[in-house]
Amino acid sequence: RKMADSLPILNNLGRGFVHGWAEDSADGMVPISASRMKEAGLTTADLARLGSVNLKQERVEPLKPGGARHPGVFATRGNDYLPSVLVDEGFWQRVAGPQAGKDVSVCLPARHELFVHVPALDPSGRVDFAALCRQLAQNAAPMFSDRVVRRVGGQWLLN
């Protein structure tokens, strides 16, 4: 039981993505374990609430268009918490701005990079977004994921 308490708290989201919580420290982000959560007197509901509050305070760079070479592709960089768009709707709305309500595909090649493809803005289908994401992930340091996640009707399709 002690070993399990020292492991990070993770929830499987599907498609190889997991959701967990982390504390910022001088050494970077440290995953929160069950024993750390108990030590702090918190529950997973408390962690979710605190995470959402913290994300509201994060500075966000708005999505910028990828240019004529990549129609319908937008990108932002610089925030290590960008993968949180998959689990926090308010954060997604802030990051995605005008693209938030559209059906999109996203990739997170590094935890500080987010690319969004809006198929409606690429009517000729010029962009092979899956191939672009694989290429971006190969060049990312460190790589987070080469998977494409779709958002349809306001819901992430993670399985």
Side-chain angles (χ1 to χ4, degrees), residues 60 76-86 91 95 108 110-114:
V60 171
T76 187
R77 292 189 168 115
N79 185 314
D80 281 343
Y81 296 96
L82 285 173
S84 298
V85 298
L86 299 176
F91 194 53
V95 171
L108 295 144
R111 73 175 187 220
H112 63 278
E113 296 179 316
L114 172 71

Side-chain angles (χ1 to χ4, degrees), residues 3-116:
M3 174 78 125
D5 284 348
S6 67
L7 297 174
I9 301 168
L10 299 174
N11 299 317
N12 185 3
L13 298 176
R15 293 196 45 93
F17 290 97
V18 294
H19 172 238
W21 293 274
E23 282 184 280
D24 288 321
S25 75
D27 298 324
M29 286 189 269
V30 178
I32 295 177
S33 65
S35 60
R36 176 69 182 115
M37 182 179 71
K38 288 176 192 167
E39 175 184 300
L42 299 171
T43 65
T44 54
D46 294 329
L47 292 176
R49 183 183 50 74
L50 289 169
S52 189
V53 168
N54 288 340
L55 287 172
K56 286 178 185 166
Q57 298 172 16
E58 283 296 312
R59 191 171 73 76
V60 171
E61 290 293 323
L63 289 175
K64 294 184 174 72
R69 206 172 126 207
H70 297 109
V73 175
F74 298 80
T76 187
R77 292 189 168 115
N79 185 314
D80 281 343
Y81 296 96
L82 285 173
S84 298
V85 298
L86 299 176
V87 294
D88 189 286
E89 183 63 23
F91 194 53
W92 166 249
Q93 295 288 329
R94 283 183 50 221
V95 171
Q99 310 313 323
K102 299 179 179 161
D103 290 350
V104 299
S105 296
V106 304
C107 72
L108 295 144
R111 73 175 187 220
H112 63 278
E113 296 179 316
L114 172 71
F115 291 82
V116 177

